[in-house]
Structure formats: C-alpha cells, structure tokens
Amino acid sequence: MPERRDKPTARTCLQTEGDFERFVHETRARLRAFVRSKGLRPQDAADLAQEAYLALWKRRADARNPRTFLLGIAKTLVRAHHRKSIRLDVV
C-alpha cells in the first residue's frame, strides 16, 4: 500500500527560518502580482507583500494553509491601503 502524504501545514512547513525563506521565495512573485492586480503601484505592492509576510511569520502557528492565510492577510492589507488612500484624498 502506498504511503499517504498529507499536504504540509504551517506547523510542519514553516517551523524554521529556512522553511519560511523557501516559502517566501516560492510565493513572492505570485503575491506581488496579486497585490498589483488590486491597483497598487509596484513599490506599494512590494511594501504590502513584506507586511503580509511579517504578519504570517508572527501568526504562522495559526495558519493551516500558509498560502491561503497569506492571501487573506494580503487582502486585508490591500483594503486598509485603499481606505487610507481615500481618507488622504478627502482631507
């Protein structure tokens, strides 16, 4: 009988800094593209991506699926960025 391999979770794949660095390397381009698709300038997208990775690192124990968790964080940060931009335009 073949051995069953479950998908790695944050608890198993983001345990060390090295694991996290590999995860960042694997997901960086897609995350930035996702954020850019939401209307952010390249530099803002890069900054927001860094914030998302920092938030994921801090809460990695809560992430069952790191990619999905990361996208959720990024969506929240994009919304906050747009709200802030609107408030600054009004003032």
Side-chain angles (χ1 to χ4, degrees), residues 52-71:
Y53 283 119
L54 179 60
L56 175 62
W57 175 255
K58 290 178 179 178
R59 296 190 54 208
R60 66 191 181 280
D62 298 333
R64 288 199 174 120
N65 180 329
R67 282 185 171 86
T68 302
F69 198 78
L70 180 64
L71 285 179

Side-chain angles (χ1 to χ4, degrees), residues 39-52:
L40 274 74
R41 296 176 307 188
Q43 186 57 46
D44 291 336
D47 291 345
L48 195 138
Q50 286 299 109
E51 287 182 53

